[in-house]
Amino acid sequence: MTNIAVFASGYGSNLQALIAFEEKYGFGNGKIVLVFSNNAEAFALERAKKKQIKTRTFSPKDYRSREEYDGAIDLMLEHAGIDLIVLAGYMLLLGPAITQKYKNRVINIHPALLPSFKGTHGIKDAFEYGVKITGVTVHFVDEGLDSGPVIMQEAVKIEQEDALEMLEEKIHAAEHKIYPLAVQHFCQGEISIKGRKVFIDSSKL
């Protein structure tokens, strides 16, 4: 069994997409067993509670240092027996203690086609730059900012008549489509990594 922890800081729409996918299709031998937030007011926690998924929340402000905070996260993950960390709108960078211990077992979704438009404003940055194609990227998390190996990508065309809000809707729809698939591939053992390149068993695509 692959025990999954989902980290979220806000509304939790990607968490909801993951929950819905798990209910309909399953993640193979994977199961969401924990939802964690650094924000006690995150609606993502309510989504989890509604589905009887265990929740935890604590803030860096409650700890003397970031290292102490990361240590608390590490202990939480150990106690829950977590095998895969799925970042779904988690607005803090994970410390190296976590990313190194869970190397190639932390994944994130970014609302642009990496390595372009890294950071917290990927949709707006792509829109304002004027690119014609943007999209979403599921990637492994390393010590850098949006710099880990790419697992899956989905292109999204920016039409001339698109406002930023319209593009945001299209990006979120693409996120909700491919993120659960990436989690499923991981849990079914269909992902392999060679250097920076990620391979998915072609018979499962």
Side-chain angles (χ1 to χ4, degrees):
M1 174 65 73
T2 301
N3 290 329
I4 303 167
V6 180
F7 284 30
S9 296
Y11 188 64
S13 64
N14 270 309
L15 169 63
Q16 190 62 50
L18 291 163
I19 290 172
F21 186 95
E22 181 179 14
E23 290 179 338
K24 188 171 183 179
Y25 304 107
F27 291 128
N29 71 339
K31 181 177 178 61
I32 300 172
V33 299
L34 175 67
V35 172
F36 170 75
S37 183
N38 62 306
N39 172 19
E41 303 300 318
F43 189 65
L45 297 170
E46 299 305 315
R47 295 181 187 274
K49 290 172 183 176
K50 186 176 181 181
K51 296 298 182 179
Q52 289 79 53
I53 300 171
K54 183 179 179 181
T55 62
R56 293 289 306 277
T57 177
F58 40 86
S59 168
K61 297 176 184 177
D62 300 328
Y63 294 82
R64 290 174 295 181
S65 67
R66 184 57 193 269
E67 289 75 20
E68 190 176 290
Y69 179 69
D70 288 343
I73 291 176
D74 186 21
L75 191 61
M76 173 192 72
L77 296 171
E78 284 281 354
H79 284 171
I82 297 303
D83 304 295
L84 173 66
I85 302 169
V86 177
L87 306 182
Y90 185 66
M91 301 309 291
L92 293 178
L93 287 175
L94 294 177
I98 303 296
T99 56
Q100 290 171 12
K101 181 173 180 177
Y102 288 86
K103 182 178 174 61
N104 296 334
R105 292 191 291 146
V106 184
I107 63 176
N108 182 49
I109 191 156
H110 182 74
L113 293 176
L114 293 175
S116 298
F117 307 112
K118 296 181 179 182
T120 57
H121 304 289
I123 302 174
K124 185 171 184 254
D125 290 345
F127 182 80
E128 292 184 346
Y129 194 87
V131 296
K132 307 304 182 185
I133 301 290
T134 184
V136 299
T137 303
V138 182
H139 64 98
F140 284 109
V141 175
D142 59 15
E143 286 74 43
L145 174 63
D146 299 326
S147 59
V150 171
I151 302 170
M152 297 178 71
Q153 290 183 306
E154 177 88 4
V156 172
K157 187 175 182 180
I158 302 178
E159 304 290 352
Q160 290 189 114
E161 64 271 17
D162 281 350
L164 178 59
E165 293 75 16
M166 297 168 65
L167 178 59
E168 288 173 343
E169 290 180 5
K170 293 199 289 188
I171 290 290
H172 293 324
E175 288 178 337
H176 300 165
K177 173 184 173 184
I178 72 165
Y179 209 10
L181 289 173
V183 173
Q184 186 185 58
H185 286 311
F186 182 97
C187 293
Q188 293 179 166
E190 295 162 359
I191 291 177
S192 59
I193 309 171
K194 296 179 181 178
R196 279 202 56 87
K197 293 187 177 181
V198 176
F199 299 88
I200 301 174
D201 184 346
S202 59
S203 67
K204 306 297 183 181
L205 291 175

